[in-house]
Amino acid sequence: RTGSVLELTFGPNSTERAQRERLRDLAVFERVCSDPMRTSRSLAVKKFCRTISSTGIQASDIRPLPVLRETMDYLWHLLNSSEYPFEIVHDFIFDRTRSVRQDLSIQNLVNDQAIGIYEDVIKFHILSHQRLARSCQDSDASSLCYLNTEQMMKCLLSLFDMYHTIHKINSQSNKEAEYYSFFVLLHMGCKIPKMANSLSFWYSQLPASIVRSKEMIFARTILRCYHLGNFKRFFCMIADEATELQLCLVEPFLNEVRARALMYLNHSGYKLQHHPLTHLSDILMIEELELEDLCRICGLEISRSGDTKAFAPKQTTFSLPTPLSKSSGIYISREIKR
Ligand SMILES: *[C@@H]1O[C@H](CO)[C@@H](O)[C@H](O)[C@H]1NC(C)=O
Ligand SMILES: *[C@@H]1O[C@H](CO)[C@@H](O)[C@H](O)[C@H]1NC(C)=O
């Protein structure tokens, strides 16, 4: 990295660097030659500071916008690093993007560039949401999932305030509709129970162009189908309309909706009315083998005649797994069933 802006480094002043070297408080990405006690200007990234007091801040410690942008790009490129387990990568980017946001808010920066940075931070949280949910079977990952969702929500709310501010000067981001839709999709699974009721009030506060956008209509329809158990429409809409990031947010819920669809079929079907798995796997947008896995997890027996595998309703052994095991790795894939 070269150039005048980059000479500023990713932020930590020499005091922070020296202190973190002494305390061995260096992330793997910040170490010189893997030495846990040695970092450099170009490797260290300013840490999030929990106890910041407005009086104790030196102006020179606050990174200007171009440096924050550069820092964000640097962090973003680490996201793909396969050298370390994802939890390590996530932990680092999670903390350092918080620090980036902290520097933005101390300076009260609200403009297109600041919004761009926030949108990228949220994108990081959404991609992490998907990756962490895939490995959520152990409790460590599930507390990470929770912390990640919490920060994502905070970022979204700050971003919406920023959108609101730039609307006053007749500016807007071309990603607004999609980012507003994330907030709606996050209400799936009712992780945030109190907020579910307030959604209709929330819609009424939004600009009409946002409420009418295809991204918002998609998110609201998906949420409604999820609550009503309209699984056919749910999967059709996801296949036809979800953006990559919307899909990341919805993915952790797909197996739950599939299992509920099976429960519905088990309950409402006739004993002799078999559902061939090939057909079911089309509707539920899942590979047949993975559907078989899911049936097994639910305690369902699969009947076979010749090459045809089918699921017969009215099986008393059926039970909805709670929480639904996420370890089986059954996820929608755009390539598979569209
Ligand atoms: C990270 O990997 C994904 C998929 O492999 C790719 O689409 C994306 O462009 C990569 N991002 C960066 C910053 O290299
Ligand atoms: C599946 O159907 C059987 C037979 O009607 C019923 O006893 C069982 O409770 C059903 N399972 C669920 C989870 O609805």
Side-chain angles (χ1 to χ4, degrees):
R1 300 187 324 268
T2 55
S4 59
V5 160
L6 300 177
E7 305 295 4
L8 291 167
T9 77
F10 300 130
N13 55 26
S14 51
T15 323
E16 176 183 333
R17 286 206 311 274
Q19 185 182 27
R20 291 215 272 123
E21 282 180 334
R22 205 170 53 245
L23 297 173
R24 296 173 172 257
D25 182 14
L26 298 173
V28 286
F29 306 102
E30 299 177 309
R31 298 172 190 172
V32 173
C33 302
S34 309
D35 183 345
M37 295 186 73
R38 225 176 105 218
T39 187
S40 71
R41 267 170 71 90
S42 60
L43 284 176
V45 185
K46 187 178 168 189
K47 246 186 117 166
F48 173 69
C49 178
R50 211 164 279 282
T51 52
I52 207 154
S53 70
S54 45
T55 48
I57 308 172
Q58 305 275 327
S60 58
D61 292 347
I62 305 301
R63 293 162 290 182
L65 202 44
V67 177
L68 293 171
R69 178 68 260 172
E70 205 55 53
T71 306
M72 190 60 220
D73 290 343
Y74 171 70
L75 294 173
W76 184 252
H77 111 104
L78 290 182
L79 189 58
N80 270 4
S81 116
S82 50
E83 223 176 308
Y84 300 98
F86 183 69
E87 281 72 10
I88 304 262
V89 179
H90 177 264
D91 185 59
F92 182 67
I93 304 179
F94 183 94
D95 178 87
R96 301 315 191 257
T97 53
R98 263 184 110 172
S99 165
V100 166
R101 286 190 280 134
Q102 193 168 42
D103 279 13
L104 281 176
S105 74
I106 289 172
Q107 299 174 82
N108 209 3
L109 283 170
V110 181
N111 54 31
D112 296 349
Q113 292 98 315
I115 283 176
I117 292 177
Y118 259 83
E119 286 171 343
D120 282 349
V121 173
I122 292 164
K123 197 164 150 189
F124 154 71
H125 285 299
I126 292 177
L127 295 173
S128 304
H129 183 74
Q130 179 192 42
R131 297 268 306 254
L132 292 171
R134 284 179 181 180
S135 57
C136 243
Q137 68 268 36
D138 60 65
S139 58
D140 273 359
S142 71
S143 72
L144 285 184
C145 283
Y146 178 83
L147 293 174
N148 185 66
T149 308
E150 187 182 57
Q151 286 306 316
M152 176 165 29
M153 209 46 145
K154 279 190 184 166
C155 291
L156 275 172
L157 294 174
S158 308
L159 178 66
F160 297 158
D161 282 343
M162 294 166 96
Y163 283 158
H164 190 71
T165 305
I166 62 163
H167 288 167
K168 289 182 196 149
I169 53 162
N170 285 324
S171 180
Q172 66 178 68
S173 154
N174 57 10
K175 298 195 178 123
E176 277 183 37
E178 190 184 9
Y179 277 72
Y180 276 114
S181 81
F182 298 151
F183 184 75
V184 179
L185 291 175
L186 274 170
H187 285 73
M188 211 181 275
C190 279
K191 290 265 161 58
I192 333 147
K194 274 188 212 130
M195 286 168 110
N197 299 329
S198 57
L199 263 187
S200 52
F201 176 72
W202 185 74
Y203 295 134
S204 71
Q205 309 288 97
L206 296 177
S209 61
I210 296 293
V211 177
R212 282 198 303 262
S213 66
K214 67 175 192 323
E215 291 88 346
M216 278 297 264
I217 291 175
F218 166 80
R220 294 177 71 174
T221 313
I222 286 294
L223 192 62
R224 196 169 337 114
C225 290
Y226 173 82
H227 286 305
L228 297 176
N230 185 348
F231 57 88
K232 279 190 187 162
R233 179 117 197 262
F234 181 90
F235 283 108
C236 282
M237 276 200 80
I238 287 176
D240 291 343
E241 293 182 33
T243 65
E244 291 302 324
L245 291 176
Q246 285 172 331
L247 193 59
C248 291
L249 279 183
V250 170
E251 191 191 84
F253 297 101
L254 296 180
N255 270 351
E256 182 199 322
V257 177
R258 289 177 184 129
R260 275 164 45 203
L262 290 174
M263 179 173 78
Y264 170 80
L265 294 173
N266 169 63
H267 183 77
S268 66
Y270 302 109
K271 210 166 189 156
L272 297 176
Q273 179 198 23
H274 289 202
H275 301 282
L277 290 195
T278 38
H279 178 59
L280 269 185
S281 73
D282 277 342
I283 297 176
L284 302 179
M285 316 201 80
I286 183 174
E287 287 279 26
E288 200 175 323
L289 277 177
E290 295 178 328
L291 177 60
E292 236 183 301
D293 261 350
L294 181 63
C295 287
R296 195 174 33 74
I297 293 167
C298 293
L300 288 173
E301 265 199 53
I302 302 296
S303 56
R304 284 157 212 268
S305 64
D307 280 347
T308 320
K309 295 175 187 166
F311 147 60
K314 300 282 184 250
Q315 296 192 30
T316 49
T317 51
F318 182 105
S319 70
L320 264 189
T322 48
L324 187 60
S325 162
K326 299 205 171 91
S327 54
S328 49
I330 310 168
Y331 296 104
I332 201 166
S333 152
R334 294 200 147 219
E335 294 78 50
I336 304 175
K337 297 281 177 192
R338 280 237 135 181

